[in-house]
Each structure stands twice: as structure tokens, then as C-alpha cells.
């Protein structure tokens, strides 16, 4: 059967399922792996609104970022939070400048960034600038490690970052104001309103309106650090978030999510000749209807990039629109039982791209992309198994069928000790970026899709030593082989070609120890990652020197250590991030030395009458360590910030 026939066959099946009369309510069995690990909890018949990567990727590592961590990094970008709390490596061009991620030894193009289930990677570049994503812009966050293409789609080769919004249904109004004053005359202002109310007898409304402005003047008192130049730059970031949720007493929900961003970066602002300016603007709009386990989602995303030099009067302009439609439905295939559940989610997604940029000759490029997928999840008291299948369709392109299978088994469950073994095998693919296919002279419309095979296995344990002390630990080993890796070949005047075979392999260890007693709370979280990522195929004479060498900017050893002590309203946190040397050439002849960065945060909750708040004082890079940007400039040294968050009274009904 050809792909066209397969498309119509599965589409017809999906439509028939969505309109069928079978409508089991969703029930699920959760086996928590924390303090109450092993306890089976039967949920009431409600819709499970978690996005697919969090439920249908058994056997793969998933790290949820807790609310306390999100609050500590409220005035920072996603780069700051992930660098100190995960083993991810970043290519950082400077404060407020481009920051891209290397996920388990892959490139920036191999990470999917999902906002409320929609991939928001910029289509022309195929990546996301993490410096433009403020932590305060979303309510929940998780990091999914390893290939998830069968569930997420293109780009999810090394891993995925999951960002989401969540409603708060408690009636009332809560106003929050935040202000940061930082070194180098930098500042950040935020204001948000949360509200919830009944709308008649059948409906409830919950919403959030949030706006932020971040100004990085970066007025350093020095131009050099230890004989390395410190680059001058400014950045103005603005954003607006609007979330609205309407919930019917029957369980139906309608939601509207909007996220507008505007980032204006200027390099060498005082030098008229060398000055560079990059302005990126994004508008993201998403509408979702959920009823009877069926979900219909419509979205529109616009990405604009303006780049210029000098006076910026004639910048290069890129504008890309993406129109998105998704329909899916989930079924409970077994009657509700306490110890076993079988769920099937089927769906399809269609996207239409329209882009126009100077690099494509100014012509309008249009493209259609579609996905059909089936996700299966089976769970008992000890087993969790998933099996997924996805087929993508792209104009003038031929992506492969992408399957995955994973399992988790609870080996030990004896009250205070729980041990879970997990493993998965998954295929991945990446559709080349619009730049890679359509850029004048250098692009290649005949590129093949990158094809990957990810295998991983691990153990997760929870030990409850006492009512006051508990330990969580997880160890994971993986191997990810990516063929037809797209490469801007320097030996061919940087024409794009499918040349590289890259193999990334390594292991990760994460341990969390928590203590609570008599008003005292303390925690210690240690993370370590060993990452070996190298090119394994020689395609010309030049490549002979780089086969088997560590990829540039991917440290072989990465570690994090976070510890805190809290008593009453006061909390002291120490955050440490360590990286081994990072090579800056493909033959590993040049490198940046390894470094250790340490931050300290002292914070306290405040209460004045009905008004509550939080005051934070933080010192970054306490030991004034020398670190470098991708452009080999020194990053700024020790610096500090004072953060204030005020919550005004909440009126409840």
C-alpha cells in the first residue's frame, strides 16, 4: 500500500472513531515513584488532559520541574533554569543572545520544544532560542529525554522540552507584581492576574493574563576579563500571555491560549560600523475543544526575523506563518478495573506553512505537512507498556514511518523501597529546515530525512528511610544513532548535504535526597551525565580527521549540584553547574577549558496585612569563574540581582 493510500485509510479510520458511539470515560491508574511509590490510585472518571509525551512514552526518562524551581527562576530564561537543573549543554552566544541546546550529544535542530502540545521551533532555522523563553510565561514544565518522534513528530531526535499552561479553578482574583533589579543596569518587570468564576449553573471560567518586560543594558564596568574581550550588547524583551479556560459541568472544556513575544538584540550598540541588530517576534495562538475523550485543536503561529547591520534601515526580513489543525480521540479499550488499563489514542495533524525571506529570493514558499498516529498504553500494578506509530507526510518529501515501544516494570515494591526497571527502543526522524531546502544556491531540496534509532535502559528507585527522610535515584544508559545528519559542508562552499553519521552514547545519574522535620526542610539534588557524541563516517579527505572525535560544544562530562535549607519563611539555595572541556573545532585541536559556576539565592516570604510576597537576593557566578561564549568572548563575571514578587489579596466567593 502506498503512502497516499495509507494516509486516506488511517484518516478515514480516525474520523470514524471520532464520530463513533463508543465513548468510555477515561480512567487511569498511576503508580507514583516518589514518597508513595507503589501505591495504586484509582482515579475518578475524568478526562486526562496531560499531553501525550508524558503518558505514552513508557521506558524513557522524564524529568518534571517542580513549582519551587520555577519560582526561583521566575525572572530568568529557560537557559538559566535548564543549565542548573538538567544535564543539557548549551551553546551560549552571550547574555541575552542566542542560546541553543545540545540534547544528549545531538544538535540544536534535534530538540522539539512543545508549548501546550504544539512544536514551536522556528521552521526556517529548525530550532528555538532558549534565551527568548521566560520561565514566568508558563505554568508547568517537563524535560523528556531520548527520541520521541513517534509521539511528538519531527525534531524530537535527542529529546523534547514540554511547556504548558494550567488553569486554577479556585474562585477569585489574584494579582501578582514582580520586579528585578540586577547588575549592569539590567531589570525585569512582570505583572499577572489570575481569575476564576462560575458562569451560570453549567460553566466555569479560569484564566491568566500576564505581561513582562526584560531590559538587558549590560553596562559592564570592564571591557576585558583576564585578557579576553567582553562583548557589549543590549536586549529588550517583551511578552504577553493570555490563557482562558471554559469548563462545563459535563467535563467539556474550551480553552484559548495566546503568547506574544518581541526580542530586540543589538550587538556593539556604540559602534555604528560593527553594530548588528536582530529582532525576532512571535505570535502564537491556540484554541482547543475537549469533549468525550475527543480533542480538536486549531492554531496559528507567526515568526518574524529582521536582521541588519549599521543603521538597520534595510534589514533582511523573514516572515513565516503556520496554520495548524489537530484532531484526536482516546479510548479505554478495557472496562474500568483497578489493576489493568488499556488506552488507545489516534489522531491526525495538518499544518500549512507560508514563508517569504530574502534568502529564498523573495519568493513565497508554501508547504503542507501532515501526521497520522496511533498511541497505545497498557498499565497494571507492576507493568507500564507503550507502543506507538506515526507516519508523516510533507510536500516534496518522504519521511519514514516512525515506531517506538517501551516498558517499565516494578521489580521491587516493599513499602519503603521501590525499584523500577525501564527500557525503550524508538525510531526518529527530522524534516530538514526551510533554510536547508530553499536557501538560494546553498540549499538542497532533495535532502533525505535524518533517521535515528534510540535505545535506552535504566533503573529508578525510591527509598523512604523514615517519615522525615527519603531518597529518589535514577540511572539511565542510552545509544542514539543518527544517519543522514544534515551538514553545511565547508569543503563544498557550505552547500547542504546528508553526509554525517553521528552516534551519541552515554549515561545519566540523578539523585534527590529530601528531609523535613520540626519546621526544617532540606534537599540535595545531584545530577551527572557522560556524553560521547562523534561522527562515525568519513565522506571526504577532510572528514578523516574528525571521525571518532567529540562533536564541538558538547562536553563529555556535565554535573549539577543543588542544595537548599529552609526554616520558616527563610530559604537558602546553592546551585552549581560543572562542565568538562568543550571542543570548538571538529578535529578537537582547540577547546574551552572546563568550568564550575555557582549561584546562591537567599529568599524569604513576606506578609503585610493581607498582602503576601517573596523577596529574593541572588549572587550569580559567586567565584567569578571564567566562561566563554561561542564567539570566544569572555562572559561576565560575578553579578547579582534583587527580586521582589508581591501577591495582592485574593477575593474568594
Amino acid at each position: 500500500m502506498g503512502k497516499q493510500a495509507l494516509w486516506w485509510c488511517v484518516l478515514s479510520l480516525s474520523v470514524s472513531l471520532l464520530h463513533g458511539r463508543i465513548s468510555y470515560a477515561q480512567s487511569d491508574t498511576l503508580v507514583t515513584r516518589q514518597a508513595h511509590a507503589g501505591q495504586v490510585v484509582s482515579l475518578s472518571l475524568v478526562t486526562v488532559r496531560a499531553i501525550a509525551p508524558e503518558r505514552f512514552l513508557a521506558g524513557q526518562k522524564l524529568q518534571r520541574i517542580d513549582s519551587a524551581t520555577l519560582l526561583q527562576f521566575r525572572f530568568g530564561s529557560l537557559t538559566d533554569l535548564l543549565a542548573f537543573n538538567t544535564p543539557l549543554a548549551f551553546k551560549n552566544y552571550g547574555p541575552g543572545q542566542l542560546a541553543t541546546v545540545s540534547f544528549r550529544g545531538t544538535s540544536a535542530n534535534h530538540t522539539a520544544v512543545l508549548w501546550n502540545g504544539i512544536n514551536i521551533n522556528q521552521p526556517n532555522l529548525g530550532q528555538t532560542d532558549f534565551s527568548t523563553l521566560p520561565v514566568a510565561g508558563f505554568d508547568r514544565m517537563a524535560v523528556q529525554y531520548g527520541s520521541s518522534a513517534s509521539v511528538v513528530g519531527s525534531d524530537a531526535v535527542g529529546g523534547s522540552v514540554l511547556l504548558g499552561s494550567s488553569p486554577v479553578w479556585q474562585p477569585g482574583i489574584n494579582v501578582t507584581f514582580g520586579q528585578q533589579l540586577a547588575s549592569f543596569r539590567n531589570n525585569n518587570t512582570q505583572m499577572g492576574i489570575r481569575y476564576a468564576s462560575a458562569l451560570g449553573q453549567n460553566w466555569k471560567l479560569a484564566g491568566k493574563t500576564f505581561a513582562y518586560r526584560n531590559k538587558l543594558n549590560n553596562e559592564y564596568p570592564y571591557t576585558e576579563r583576564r585578557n579576553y574581550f567582553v562583548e557589549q550588547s543590549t536586549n529588550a524583551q517583551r511578552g504577553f500571555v493570555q490563557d482562558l479556560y471554559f469548563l462545563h459541568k459535563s467535563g467539556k472544556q474550551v480553552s484559548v491560549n495566546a503568547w506574544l513575544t518581541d526580542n530586540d538584540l543589538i550587538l556593539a550598540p556604540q559602534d555604528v560600523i560593527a553594530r548588528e541588530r536582530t529582532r525576532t517576534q512571535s505570535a502564537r495562538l491556540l484554541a482547543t475543544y475537549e469533549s468525550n475523550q475527543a480533542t480538536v485543536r486549531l492554531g496559528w503561529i507567526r515568526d518574524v526575523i529582521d536582521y541588519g547591520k549599521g543603521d538597520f534601515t534595510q534589514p533582511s526580513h523573514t516572515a513565516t506563518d503556520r496554520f495548524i489543525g489537530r484532531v484526536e480521540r482516546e479510548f479505554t479499550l478495557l472496562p474500568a478495573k483497578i489493576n489493568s488499563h488499556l488506552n488507545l489514542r489516534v489522531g491526525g495533524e495538518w499544518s500549512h506553512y507560508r514563508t517569504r525571506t530574502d534568502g529564498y529570493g523573495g519568493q513565497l514558499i508554501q508547504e503542507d505537512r501532515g501526521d497520522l498516529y496511533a498511541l497505545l498504553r497498557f498499565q497494571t500494578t507492576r507493568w507500564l507498556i507503550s507502543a506507538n506509530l506515526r507516519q508523516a507526510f510533507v510536500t516534496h518529501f518522504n519521511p519514514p514511518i516512525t515506531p517506538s515501544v517501551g516498558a517499565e516494570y516494578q521489580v521491587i515494591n516493599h513499602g519503603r523501597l521501590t525499584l523500577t526497571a525501564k527500557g525503550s527502543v524508538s525510531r526518529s526522524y527530522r524534516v530538514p529546515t526551510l533554510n536547508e531546502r530553499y536557501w538560494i544556491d546553498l540549499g538542497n531540496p532533495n535532502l533525505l530525512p535524518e533517521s535515528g534509532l534510540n535505545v535506552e535502559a535504566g533503573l529508578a528507585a525510591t527509598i523512604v528511610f523514615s517519615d522525615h527522610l527519603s531518597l529518589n535515584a535514577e540511572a539511565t544508559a542510552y545509544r542514539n544513532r543518527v544517519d543522514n545528519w544534515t551538514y553545511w559542508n565547508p569543503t563544498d562552499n557550505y552547500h547542504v548535504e546528508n553526509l554525517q553519521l553521528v552516534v551519541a552514547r552515554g549515561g545519566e545519574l540523578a539523585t534527590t535526597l529530601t528531609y523535613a522535620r520540626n519546621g526544617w526542610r532540606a534537599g540535595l539534588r545531584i545530577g551527572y551525565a557522560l556524553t560521547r557524541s562523534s561522527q562515525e563516517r568519513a565522506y571526504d579527505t577532510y572528514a578523516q580527521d574528525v571521525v571518532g572525535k567529540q562533536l564541538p560544544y558538547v562536553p563529555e562530562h556535565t554535573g549539577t549540584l543543588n542544595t537548599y535549607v529552609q526554616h520558616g519563611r527563610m530559604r537558602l539555595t546553592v546551585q552549581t553547574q560543572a562542565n568538562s572541556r568543550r571542543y570548538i573545532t571538529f578535529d578537537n585541536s582547540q577547546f574551552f577549558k572546563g568550568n564550575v559556576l555557582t549561584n546562591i539565592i537567599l529568599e524569604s516570604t513576606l506578609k503585610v496585612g493581607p498582602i503576601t510576597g517573596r523577596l529574593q537576593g541572588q549572587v550569580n557566578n559567586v567565584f567569578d569563574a571564567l566562561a566563554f561564549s561561542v564567539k570566544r568572548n569572555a562572559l561576565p563575571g560575578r553579578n547579582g540581582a534583587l527580586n521582589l514578587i508581591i501577591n495582592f489579596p485574593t477575593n474568594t466567593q
Side-chain angles (χ1 to χ4, degrees):
M1 179 184 295
K3 283 194 175 180
Q4 191 73 13
L6 178 64
W7 166 264
W8 287 110
C9 178
V10 181
L11 180 61
S12 300
L13 176 62
S14 299
V15 173
S16 65
L17 288 172
L18 287 168
H19 288 85
R21 295 184 178 181
I22 300 176
S23 58
Y24 294 115
Q26 172 69 37
S27 63
D28 210 347
T29 301
L30 302 180
V31 182
T32 64
R33 296 170 177 81
Q34 299 180 357
H36 301 286
Q39 181 181 1
V40 178
V41 182
S42 181
L43 300 180
S44 59
L45 301 183
V46 297
T47 300
V48 178
R49 304 191 190 276
I51 61 177
E54 296 187 55
R55 299 185 59 234
F56 288 92
L57 285 171
Q60 292 190 224
K61 180 180 176 181
L62 179 71
Q63 179 182 356
R64 291 185 175 89
I65 307 300
D66 59 70
S67 58
T69 302
L70 291 176
L71 183 60
Q72 283 192 327
F73 286 87
R74 180 184 177 95
F75 293 96
S77 69
L78 212 56
T79 310
D80 307 316
L81 186 151
L82 292 175
F84 282 93
N85 291 276
T86 71
L88 305 184
F90 283 87
K91 291 175 63 176
N92 192 337
Y93 284 74
Q97 300 184 43
L98 176 66
T100 59
V101 69
S102 173
F103 222 121
R104 282 186 171 178
T106 58
S107 76
N109 297 117
H110 295 128
T111 300
V113 180
L114 273 61
W115 170 68
N116 291 314
I118 299 296
N119 192 337
I120 62 172
N121 278 347
Q122 211 281 342
N124 302 79
L125 302 174
Q127 61 190 35
T128 292
D129 181 357
F130 282 74
S131 72
T132 66
L133 301 180
V135 174
F138 43 87
D139 303 314
R140 66 178 190 272
M141 176 186 176
V143 180
Q144 180 272 316
Y145 296 79
S147 169
S148 56
S150 62
V151 177
V152 174
S154 179
D155 302 347
V157 178
S160 304
V161 177
L162 315 176
L163 311 176
S165 306
S166 298
V168 176
W169 295 106
Q170 181 179 356
I173 300 175
N174 191 359
V175 179
T176 300
F177 173 80
Q179 180 66 55
Q180 179 187 68
L181 300 176
S183 299
F184 316 130
R185 220 166 64 82
N186 297 338
N187 60 84
N188 189 326
T189 304
Q190 305 172 356
M191 177 168 286
I193 305 175
R194 282 193 179 272
Y195 38 89
S197 175
L199 299 177
Q201 297 182 347
N202 298 326
W203 289 88
K204 293 193 297 183
L205 163 69
K208 179 183 74 174
T209 303
F210 176 76
Y212 61 90
R213 178 185 180 276
N214 186 18
K215 180 61 175 175
L216 300 177
N217 294 297
N218 291 330
E219 294 186 0
Y220 308 124
Y222 40 73
T223 58
E224 291 184 357
R225 292 192 63 223
R226 303 177 198 173
N227 299 319
Y228 289 95
F229 175 67
V230 178
E231 185 177 42
Q232 300 296 310
S233 67
T234 64
N235 194 349
Q237 300 180 341
R238 297 180 297 171
F240 177 79
V241 177
Q242 179 64 68
D243 298 320
L244 292 173
Y245 298 87
F246 301 90
L247 180 64
H248 192 265
K249 65 179 183 180
S250 64
K252 299 177 182 178
Q253 180 172 291
V254 178
S255 61
V256 178
N257 306 100
W259 188 4
L260 309 178
T261 65
D262 184 354
N263 303 277
D264 191 0
L265 170 66
I266 301 177
L267 303 181
Q270 307 301 324
D271 190 333
V272 177
I273 298 177
R275 179 190 302 151
E276 296 182 45
R277 184 180 182 186
T278 303
R279 187 173 186 182
T280 59
Q281 298 170 291
S282 295
R284 307 177 182 106
L285 180 63
L286 185 64
T288 306
Y289 173 74
E290 300 173 86
S291 175
N292 197 26
Q293 308 311 310
T295 302
V296 179
R297 183 165 288 172
L298 299 174
W300 169 69
I301 298 177
R302 161 165 282 195
D303 293 301
V304 176
I305 303 176
D306 290 309
Y307 171 79
K309 294 184 177 181
D311 58 6
F312 204 61
T313 55
Q314 293 182 327
S316 171
H317 180 74
T318 299
T320 303
D321 289 288
R322 189 178 357 160
F323 303 91
I324 304 166
R326 180 186 295 176
V327 180
E328 61 183 20
R329 183 162 183 173
E330 186 167 328
F331 296 90
T332 300
L333 301 181
L334 294 177
K337 294 181 180 180
I338 295 178
N339 295 329
S340 62
H341 298 273
L342 181 62
N343 301 89
L344 173 67
R345 180 182 292 190
V346 295
E349 179 176 319
W350 168 83
S351 299
H352 179 69
Y353 292 75
R354 295 169 56 90
T355 183
R356 192 188 300 271
T357 180
D358 302 340
Y360 307 161
Q363 61 178 323
L364 177 66
I365 300 295
Q366 299 190 68
E367 180 174 284
D368 290 297
R369 300 186 187 183
D371 290 85
L372 293 174
Y373 52 88
L375 316 176
L376 189 68
R377 183 180 193 269
F378 176 68
Q379 185 168 357
T380 67
T381 54
R382 285 187 177 268
W383 281 99
L384 174 61
I385 301 172
S386 66
N388 310 310
L389 186 67
R390 175 179 292 260
Q391 175 63 69
F393 305 85
V394 181
T395 302
H396 305 308
F397 203 66
N398 192 29
I401 293 177
T402 310
S404 71
V405 61
E408 301 180 18
Y409 178 69
Q410 201 169 81
V411 181
I412 300 175
N413 181 13
H414 293 309
R416 294 183 178 273
L417 172 62
T418 302
L419 179 66
T420 302
K422 56 177 64 176
S424 70
V425 180
S426 54
R427 281 296 219 176
S428 63
Y429 74 96
R430 183 181 76 89
V431 178
T433 68
L434 298 178
N435 281 0
E436 289 171 334
R437 281 184 291 156
Y438 299 115
W439 200 269
I440 295 177
D441 297 330
L442 303 180
N444 183 357
N446 299 315
L447 287 172
L448 299 173
E450 295 181 3
S451 178
L453 176 63
N454 183 82
V455 180
E456 66 179 88
L459 291 172
T462 297
I463 305 175
V464 180
F465 297 105
S466 67
D467 294 338
H468 311 293
L469 185 65
S470 64
L471 173 72
N472 289 282
E474 182 171 2
T476 306
Y478 66 89
R479 185 180 189 273
N480 194 357
R481 182 183 190 274
V482 184
D483 204 358
N484 290 325
W485 186 300
T486 303
Y487 184 58
W488 297 79
N489 189 358
T491 64
D492 191 20
N493 197 27
Y494 290 96
H495 283 81
V496 182
E497 301 178 57
N498 291 110
L499 291 176
Q500 292 181 308
L501 166 63
V502 174
V503 177
R505 58 277 194 200
E508 297 157 349
L509 177 64
T511 303
T512 302
L513 183 68
T514 57
Y515 174 82
R517 186 172 187 177
N518 297 331
W520 286 89
R521 297 180 62 87
L524 175 68
R525 184 171 66 247
I526 300 175
Y528 168 75
L530 169 65
T531 307
R532 282 285 298 134
S533 184
S534 57
Q535 181 176 312
E536 297 298 331
R537 177 187 296 149
Y539 48 83
D540 56 26
T541 303
Y542 171 80
Q544 294 285 353
D545 295 332
V546 303
V547 170
K549 303 294 180 63
Q550 184 82 347
L551 291 187
Y553 300 103
V554 177
E556 187 171 348
H557 304 279
T558 302
T560 59
L561 188 152
N562 292 272
T563 182
Y564 73 89
V565 177
Q566 179 176 339
H567 182 64
R569 297 182 178 181
M570 299 293 294
R571 176 176 173 134
L572 175 65
T573 303
V574 179
Q575 305 164 337
T576 301
Q577 172 207 10
N579 292 303
S580 64
R581 65 171 56 178
R582 292 180 296 153
Y583 296 104
I584 57 179
T585 57
F586 282 95
D587 63 0
N588 292 180
S589 61
Q590 300 180 45
F591 58 88
F592 292 148
K593 293 181 179 180
N595 59 56
V596 178
L597 301 177
T598 301
N599 298 344
I600 294 180
I601 301 175
L602 179 63
E603 55 190 323
S604 175
T605 56
L606 308 173
K607 185 173 177 59
V608 180
I611 300 175
T612 61
R614 179 180 294 267
L615 180 64
Q616 296 176 332
Q618 66 182 79
V619 180
N620 304 317
N621 193 3
V622 174
F623 301 108
D624 204 30
L626 183 63
F628 297 96
S629 74
V630 172
K631 294 178 286 187
R632 311 186 190 186
N633 297 319
L635 297 178
R638 185 185 302 111
N639 62 90
L642 187 65
N643 310 323
L644 177 64
I645 302 172
I646 301 175
N647 298 305
F648 293 92
T650 300
N651 301 318
T652 59
Q653 297 179 350

